[in-house]
Each structure stands twice: as structure tokens, then as C-alpha cells.
mmCIF file of all heavy atoms in Angstrom:
data_model
loop_
_atom_site.group_PDB
_atom_site.id
_atom_site.type_symbol
_atom_site.label_atom_id
_atom_site.label_comp_id
_atom_site.label_asym_id
_atom_site.label_seq_id
_atom_site.Cartn_x
_atom_site.Cartn_y
_atom_site.Cartn_z
ATOM 1 N N ILE A 5 -46.307 49.604 6.883
ATOM 2 C CA ILE A 5 -46.008 50.700 7.803
ATOM 3 C C ILE A 5 -45.042 51.643 7.102
ATOM 4 O O ILE A 5 -43.885 51.288 6.849
ATOM 5 C CB ILE A 5 -45.402 50.186 9.119
ATOM 6 C CG1 ILE A 5 -46.346 49.176 9.784
ATOM 7 C CG2 ILE A 5 -45.108 51.354 10.064
ATOM 8 C CD1 ILE A 5 -45.756 48.489 10.997
ATOM 9 N N ASN A 6 -45.521 52.830 6.761
ATOM 10 C CA ASN A 6 -44.693 53.820 6.064
ATOM 11 C C ASN A 6 -44.000 54.697 7.094
ATOM 12 O O ASN A 6 -44.568 55.650 7.610
ATOM 13 C CB ASN A 6 -45.559 54.642 5.110
ATOM 14 C CG ASN A 6 -46.031 53.823 3.923
ATOM 15 O OD1 ASN A 6 -45.226 53.189 3.240
ATOM 16 N ND2 ASN A 6 -47.334 53.802 3.678
ATOM 17 N N ASN A 7 -42.755 54.335 7.356
ATOM 18 C CA ASN A 7 -41.975 54.978 8.408
ATOM 19 C C ASN A 7 -40.812 55.796 7.863
ATOM 20 O O ASN A 7 -40.283 56.665 8.571
ATOM 21 C CB ASN A 7 -41.455 53.879 9.359
ATOM 22 C CG ASN A 7 -40.363 54.360 10.285
ATOM 23 O OD1 ASN A 7 -40.613 55.107 11.217
ATOM 24 N ND2 ASN A 7 -39.129 53.925 10.019
ATOM 25 N N ALA A 8 -40.412 55.564 6.622
ATOM 26 C CA ALA A 8 -39.231 56.232 6.068
ATOM 27 C C ALA A 8 -39.418 57.745 6.041
ATOM 28 O O ALA A 8 -40.462 58.249 5.634
ATOM 29 C CB ALA A 8 -38.948 55.729 4.658
ATOM 30 N N ALA A 9 -38.388 58.475 6.492
ATOM 31 C CA ALA A 9 -38.437 59.937 6.487
ATOM 32 C C ALA A 9 -37.019 60.486 6.617
ATOM 33 O O ALA A 9 -36.127 59.814 7.140
ATOM 34 C CB ALA A 9 -39.308 60.465 7.619
ATOM 35 N N VAL A 10 -36.831 61.708 6.138
ATOM 36 C CA VAL A 10 -35.555 62.393 6.307
ATOM 37 C C VAL A 10 -35.819 63.813 6.798
ATOM 38 O O VAL A 10 -36.874 64.399 6.519
ATOM 39 C CB VAL A 10 -34.734 62.450 5.003
ATOM 40 C CG1 VAL A 10 -34.318 61.058 4.559
ATOM 41 C CG2 VAL A 10 -35.509 63.158 3.897
ATOM 42 N N LEU A 11 -34.863 64.330 7.535
ATOM 43 C CA LEU A 11 -34.864 65.732 7.960
ATOM 44 C C LEU A 11 -33.624 66.370 7.370
ATOM 45 O O LEU A 11 -32.507 65.900 7.593
ATOM 46 C CB LEU A 11 -34.839 65.835 9.487
ATOM 47 C CG LEU A 11 -34.646 67.222 10.097
ATOM 48 C CD1 LEU A 11 -35.792 68.143 9.698
ATOM 49 C CD2 LEU A 11 -34.548 67.126 11.619
ATOM 50 N N ALA A 12 -33.819 67.413 6.572
ATOM 51 C CA ALA A 12 -32.700 68.063 5.886
ATOM 52 C C ALA A 12 -32.903 69.572 5.916
ATOM 53 O O ALA A 12 -33.964 70.070 6.311
ATOM 54 C CB ALA A 12 -32.598 67.566 4.447
ATOM 55 N N ASN A 13 -31.864 70.292 5.523
ATOM 56 C CA ASN A 13 -32.012 71.732 5.385
ATOM 57 C C ASN A 13 -33.064 72.048 4.326
ATOM 58 O O ASN A 13 -33.290 71.268 3.397
ATOM 59 C CB ASN A 13 -30.676 72.372 4.980
ATOM 60 C CG ASN A 13 -29.726 72.494 6.151
ATOM 61 O OD1 ASN A 13 -30.067 73.049 7.189
ATOM 62 N ND2 ASN A 13 -28.518 71.949 5.990
ATOM 63 N N ASP A 14 -33.695 73.197 4.448
ATOM 64 C CA ASP A 14 -34.790 73.529 3.542
ATOM 65 C C ASP A 14 -34.348 73.661 2.093
ATOM 66 O O ASP A 14 -35.180 73.592 1.187
ATOM 67 C CB ASP A 14 -35.490 74.808 4.010
ATOM 68 C CG ASP A 14 -36.359 74.561 5.226
ATOM 69 O OD1 ASP A 14 -36.620 73.370 5.536
ATOM 70 O OD2 ASP A 14 -36.777 75.529 5.879
ATOM 71 N N ASP A 15 -33.033 73.854 1.839
ATOM 72 C CA ASP A 15 -32.596 73.915 0.453
ATOM 73 C C ASP A 15 -32.637 72.528 -0.205
ATOM 74 O O ASP A 15 -32.471 72.400 -1.418
ATOM 75 C CB ASP A 15 -31.196 74.532 0.331
ATOM 76 C CG ASP A 15 -30.127 73.778 1.103
ATOM 77 O OD1 ASP A 15 -30.438 72.718 1.697
ATOM 78 O OD2 ASP A 15 -28.974 74.250 1.128
ATOM 79 N N GLN A 16 -32.896 71.487 0.604
ATOM 80 C CA GLN A 16 -33.113 70.138 0.079
ATOM 81 C C GLN A 16 -34.591 69.761 0.196
ATOM 82 O O GLN A 16 -34.938 68.600 0.421
ATOM 83 C CB GLN A 16 -32.258 69.133 0.840
ATOM 84 C CG GLN A 16 -30.760 69.399 0.752
ATOM 85 C CD GLN A 16 -29.955 68.370 1.525
ATOM 86 O OE1 GLN A 16 -30.070 67.175 1.315
ATOM 87 N NE2 GLN A 16 -29.121 68.846 2.438
ATOM 88 N N PHE A 17 -35.447 70.749 0.000
ATOM 89 C CA PHE A 17 -36.876 70.528 0.231
ATOM 90 C C PHE A 17 -37.458 69.459 -0.676
ATOM 91 O O PHE A 17 -38.359 68.719 -0.278
ATOM 92 C CB PHE A 17 -37.655 71.839 0.080
ATOM 93 C CG PHE A 17 -37.695 72.419 -1.304
ATOM 94 C CD1 PHE A 17 -38.700 72.069 -2.189
ATOM 95 C CD2 PHE A 17 -36.721 73.322 -1.715
ATOM 96 C CE1 PHE A 17 -38.743 72.600 -3.465
ATOM 97 C CE2 PHE A 17 -36.755 73.853 -2.997
ATOM 98 C CZ PHE A 17 -37.778 73.494 -3.877
ATOM 99 N N ARG A 18 -36.965 69.348 -1.902
ATOM 100 C CA ARG A 18 -37.520 68.335 -2.807
ATOM 101 C C ARG A 18 -37.272 66.925 -2.276
ATOM 102 O O ARG A 18 -38.129 66.037 -2.402
ATOM 103 C CB ARG A 18 -36.932 68.490 -4.208
ATOM 104 C CG ARG A 18 -37.472 69.677 -4.978
ATOM 105 C CD ARG A 18 -36.989 69.698 -6.415
ATOM 106 N NE ARG A 18 -37.560 70.823 -7.146
ATOM 107 C CZ ARG A 18 -37.076 72.051 -7.135
ATOM 108 N NH1 ARG A 18 -35.969 72.319 -6.431
ATOM 109 N NH2 ARG A 18 -37.656 73.023 -7.822
ATOM 110 N N ARG A 19 -36.096 66.717 -1.700
ATOM 111 C CA ARG A 19 -35.781 65.392 -1.145
ATOM 112 C C ARG A 19 -36.708 65.066 0.016
ATOM 113 O O ARG A 19 -37.215 63.942 0.126
ATOM 114 C CB ARG A 19 -34.320 65.353 -0.692
ATOM 115 C CG ARG A 19 -33.892 64.014 -0.097
ATOM 116 C CD ARG A 19 -32.385 63.935 0.032
ATOM 117 N NE ARG A 19 -31.960 62.719 0.708
ATOM 118 C CZ ARG A 19 -31.530 62.664 1.962
ATOM 119 N NH1 ARG A 19 -31.447 63.780 2.680
ATOM 120 N NH2 ARG A 19 -31.167 61.524 2.502
ATOM 121 N N MET A 20 -36.952 66.039 0.895
ATOM 122 C CA MET A 20 -37.862 65.801 2.010
ATOM 123 C C MET A 20 -39.271 65.511 1.527
ATOM 124 O O MET A 20 -39.943 64.600 2.022
ATOM 125 C CB MET A 20 -37.857 66.996 2.970
ATOM 126 C CG MET A 20 -36.682 67.008 3.919
ATOM 127 S SD MET A 20 -36.878 68.223 5.246
ATOM 128 C CE MET A 20 -36.473 69.733 4.368
ATOM 129 N N ILE A 21 -39.733 66.276 0.553
ATOM 130 C CA ILE A 21 -41.085 66.062 0.027
ATOM 131 C C ILE A 21 -41.173 64.701 -0.650
ATOM 132 O O ILE A 21 -42.142 63.954 -0.459
ATOM 133 C CB ILE A 21 -41.467 67.191 -0.939
ATOM 134 C CG1 ILE A 21 -41.585 68.514 -0.183
ATOM 135 C CG2 ILE A 21 -42.779 66.868 -1.653
ATOM 136 C CD1 ILE A 21 -41.728 69.730 -1.079
ATOM 137 N N ASP A 22 -40.159 64.351 -1.442
ATOM 138 C CA ASP A 22 -40.177 63.082 -2.172
ATOM 139 C C ASP A 22 -40.216 61.882 -1.224
ATOM 140 O O ASP A 22 -40.955 60.916 -1.462
ATOM 141 C CB ASP A 22 -38.950 62.973 -3.078
ATOM 142 C CG ASP A 22 -39.033 63.879 -4.288
ATOM 143 O OD1 ASP A 22 -40.139 64.401 -4.560
ATOM 144 O OD2 ASP A 22 -37.999 64.075 -4.947
ATOM 145 N N ILE A 23 -39.409 61.923 -0.165
ATOM 146 C CA ILE A 23 -39.325 60.774 0.734
ATOM 147 C C ILE A 23 -40.438 60.794 1.778
ATOM 148 O O ILE A 23 -41.125 59.789 2.000
ATOM 149 C CB ILE A 23 -37.942 60.728 1.428
ATOM 150 C CG1 ILE A 23 -36.847 60.476 0.382
ATOM 151 C CG2 ILE A 23 -37.912 59.644 2.511
ATOM 152 C CD1 ILE A 23 -35.446 60.545 0.911
ATOM 153 N N ASN A 24 -40.626 61.940 2.413
ATOM 154 C CA ASN A 24 -41.562 62.000 3.535
ATOM 155 C C ASN A 24 -43.015 61.921 3.095
ATOM 156 O O ASN A 24 -43.835 61.309 3.784
ATOM 157 C CB ASN A 24 -41.353 63.280 4.337
ATOM 158 C CG ASN A 24 -39.968 63.382 4.933
ATOM 159 O OD1 ASN A 24 -39.138 62.497 4.744
ATOM 160 N ND2 ASN A 24 -39.708 64.456 5.643
ATOM 161 N N PHE A 25 -43.334 62.569 1.973
ATOM 162 C CA PHE A 25 -44.738 62.619 1.563
ATOM 163 C C PHE A 25 -45.035 61.822 0.292
ATOM 164 O O PHE A 25 -45.850 60.907 0.311
ATOM 165 C CB PHE A 25 -45.190 64.063 1.379
ATOM 166 C CG PHE A 25 -46.632 64.177 0.978
ATOM 167 C CD1 PHE A 25 -47.634 63.614 1.752
ATOM 168 C CD2 PHE A 25 -46.991 64.817 -0.196
ATOM 169 C CE1 PHE A 25 -48.973 63.688 1.370
ATOM 170 C CE2 PHE A 25 -48.324 64.913 -0.584
ATOM 171 C CZ PHE A 25 -49.313 64.344 0.198
ATOM 172 N N THR A 26 -44.356 62.158 -0.811
ATOM 173 C CA THR A 26 -44.690 61.506 -2.074
ATOM 174 C C THR A 26 -44.535 59.994 -1.981
ATOM 175 O O THR A 26 -45.401 59.236 -2.462
ATOM 176 C CB THR A 26 -43.820 62.059 -3.215
ATOM 177 O OG1 THR A 26 -43.946 63.482 -3.260
ATOM 178 C CG2 THR A 26 -44.242 61.479 -4.550
ATOM 179 N N ALA A 27 -43.455 59.518 -1.381
ATOM 180 C CA ALA A 27 -43.249 58.072 -1.256
ATOM 181 C C ALA A 27 -44.307 57.440 -0.357
ATOM 182 O O ALA A 27 -44.735 56.302 -0.598
ATOM 183 C CB ALA A 27 -41.853 57.788 -0.710
ATOM 184 N N THR A 28 -44.747 58.165 0.661
ATOM 185 C CA THR A 28 -45.807 57.652 1.533
ATOM 186 C C THR A 28 -47.109 57.504 0.763
ATOM 187 O O THR A 28 -47.832 56.509 0.905
ATOM 188 C CB THR A 28 -46.002 58.577 2.744
ATOM 189 O OG1 THR A 28 -44.810 58.575 3.539
ATOM 190 C CG2 THR A 28 -47.166 58.123 3.609
ATOM 191 N N VAL A 29 -47.419 58.492 -0.064
ATOM 192 C CA VAL A 29 -48.615 58.410 -0.901
ATOM 193 C C VAL A 29 -48.512 57.215 -1.852
ATOM 194 O O VAL A 29 -49.446 56.403 -1.966
ATOM 195 C CB VAL A 29 -48.811 59.708 -1.703
ATOM 196 C CG1 VAL A 29 -49.940 59.545 -2.726
ATOM 197 C CG2 VAL A 29 -49.121 60.865 -0.768
ATOM 198 N N SER A 30 -47.388 57.090 -2.531
ATOM 199 C CA SER A 30 -47.207 56.007 -3.495
ATOM 200 C C SER A 30 -47.320 54.648 -2.827
ATOM 201 O O SER A 30 -48.024 53.747 -3.313
ATOM 202 C CB SER A 30 -45.842 56.145 -4.174
ATOM 203 O OG SER A 30 -45.632 55.105 -5.095
ATOM 204 N N SER A 31 -46.647 54.477 -1.704
ATOM 205 C CA SER A 31 -46.681 53.204 -0.987
ATOM 206 C C SER A 31 -48.078 52.893 -0.475
ATOM 207 O O SER A 31 -48.548 51.750 -0.554
ATOM 208 C CB SER A 31 -45.683 53.247 0.175
ATOM 209 O OG SER A 31 -45.732 52.048 0.923
ATOM 210 N N THR A 32 -48.767 53.917 0.046
ATOM 211 C CA THR A 32 -50.126 53.705 0.546
ATOM 212 C C THR A 32 -51.059 53.251 -0.560
ATOM 213 O O THR A 32 -51.829 52.290 -0.394
ATOM 214 C CB THR A 32 -50.665 55.005 1.177
ATOM 215 O OG1 THR A 32 -49.848 55.364 2.299
ATOM 216 C CG2 THR A 32 -52.104 54.834 1.645
ATOM 217 N N LEU A 33 -51.014 53.926 -1.693
ATOM 218 C CA LEU A 33 -51.917 53.581 -2.793
ATOM 219 C C LEU A 33 -51.612 52.194 -3.358
ATOM 220 O O LEU A 33 -52.537 51.440 -3.710
ATOM 221 C CB LEU A 33 -51.833 54.639 -3.890
ATOM 222 C CG LEU A 33 -52.319 56.040 -3.485
ATOM 223 C CD1 LEU A 33 -52.187 57.005 -4.649
ATOM 224 C CD2 LEU A 33 -53.748 56.004 -2.961
ATOM 225 N N LYS A 34 -50.334 51.844 -3.434
ATOM 226 C CA LYS A 34 -49.969 50.490 -3.859
ATOM 227 C C LYS A 34 -50.523 49.457 -2.882
ATOM 228 O O LYS A 34 -51.088 48.429 -3.277
ATOM 229 C CB LYS A 34 -48.447 50.352 -3.953
ATOM 230 C CG LYS A 34 -47.830 50.963 -5.194
ATOM 231 C CD LYS A 34 -46.323 50.766 -5.180
ATOM 232 C CE LYS A 34 -45.707 51.186 -6.511
ATOM 233 N NZ LYS A 34 -46.024 52.575 -6.881
ATOM 234 N N ALA A 35 -50.340 49.728 -1.585
ATOM 235 C CA ALA A 35 -50.807 48.794 -0.563
ATOM 236 C C ALA A 35 -52.317 48.638 -0.603
ATOM 237 O O ALA A 35 -52.841 47.516 -0.517
ATOM 238 C CB ALA A 35 -50.359 49.277 0.819
ATOM 239 N N VAL A 36 -53.028 49.743 -0.729
ATOM 240 C CA VAL A 36 -54.490 49.683 -0.777
ATOM 241 C C VAL A 36 -54.947 48.888 -1.990
ATOM 242 O O VAL A 36 -55.854 48.045 -1.906
ATOM 243 C CB VAL A 36 -55.093 51.100 -0.791
ATOM 244 C CG1 VAL A 36 -56.589 51.052 -1.108
ATOM 245 C CG2 VAL A 36 -54.861 51.793 0.545
ATOM 246 N N ASP A 37 -54.314 49.107 -3.128
ATOM 247 C CA ASP A 37 -54.682 48.394 -4.343
ATOM 248 C C ASP A 37 -54.482 46.889 -4.185
ATOM 249 O O ASP A 37 -55.351 46.078 -4.542
ATOM 250 C CB ASP A 37 -53.855 48.925 -5.512
ATOM 251 C CG ASP A 37 -54.258 48.303 -6.837
ATOM 252 O OD1 ASP A 37 -55.444 48.373 -7.183
ATOM 253 O OD2 ASP A 37 -53.379 47.739 -7.514
ATOM 254 N N ILE A 38 -53.335 46.509 -3.620
ATOM 255 C CA ILE A 38 -53.016 45.087 -3.449
ATOM 256 C C ILE A 38 -53.927 44.443 -2.409
ATOM 257 O O ILE A 38 -54.529 43.384 -2.646
ATOM 258 C CB ILE A 38 -51.540 44.921 -3.034
ATOM 259 C CG1 ILE A 38 -50.615 45.295 -4.201
ATOM 260 C CG2 ILE A 38 -51.261 43.493 -2.556
ATOM 261 C CD1 ILE A 38 -49.167 45.458 -3.802
ATOM 262 N N MET A 39 -54.047 45.079 -1.249
ATOM 263 C CA MET A 39 -54.763 44.444 -0.141
ATOM 264 C C MET A 39 -56.267 44.447 -0.353
ATOM 265 O O MET A 39 -56.966 43.523 0.084
ATOM 266 C CB MET A 39 -54.377 45.117 1.178
ATOM 267 C CG MET A 39 -52.927 44.848 1.560
ATOM 268 S SD MET A 39 -52.452 45.385 3.223
ATOM 269 C CE MET A 39 -52.458 47.165 3.006
ATOM 270 N N SER A 40 -56.796 45.455 -1.009
ATOM 271 C CA SER A 40 -58.233 45.467 -1.269
ATOM 272 C C SER A 40 -58.625 44.314 -2.182
ATOM 273 O O SER A 40 -59.704 43.731 -2.042
ATOM 274 C CB SER A 40 -58.661 46.802 -1.885
ATOM 275 O OG SER A 40 -58.043 47.013 -3.139
ATOM 276 N N ALA A 41 -57.735 43.949 -3.105
ATOM 277 C CA ALA A 41 -58.005 42.830 -4.001
ATOM 278 C C ALA A 41 -57.929 41.492 -3.281
ATOM 279 O O ALA A 41 -58.455 40.481 -3.776
ATOM 280 C CB ALA A 41 -57.015 42.841 -5.166
#
């Protein structure tokens, strides 16, 4: 369950993108790889 997220001012946009989206993508793909096997 990918629940981690942050809300910050837009001048911290990289942090929001990294945690809210990029980390969700990374975690999802890792999970799919492990569980599909």
C-alpha cells in the first residue's frame, strides 16, 4: 500500500514529485516484480 505523501510549498516541487509520485512508481514496480514471480 503506497500511502506516503507530502504537501509542501511549490518551491519544494521536487520533493513532492519524488515522494508522492516517483517513489510510488518505484515501489509499485518493485512490488509487481516480486509478487508476479
Side-chain angles (χ1 to χ4, degrees):
I5 303 173
N6 290 308
N7 166 72
V10 295
L11 172 62
N13 283 306
D14 285 346
D15 59 4
Q16 300 180 55
F17 67 90
R18 286 187 178 84
R19 180 167 175 255
M20 280 192 282
I21 294 170
D22 287 347
I23 295 174
N24 299 1
F25 181 56
T26 306
T28 296
V29 172
S30 179
S31 178
T32 298
L33 295 180
K34 282 180 172 56
V36 169
D37 184 55
I38 291 167
M39 292 189 289
S40 63

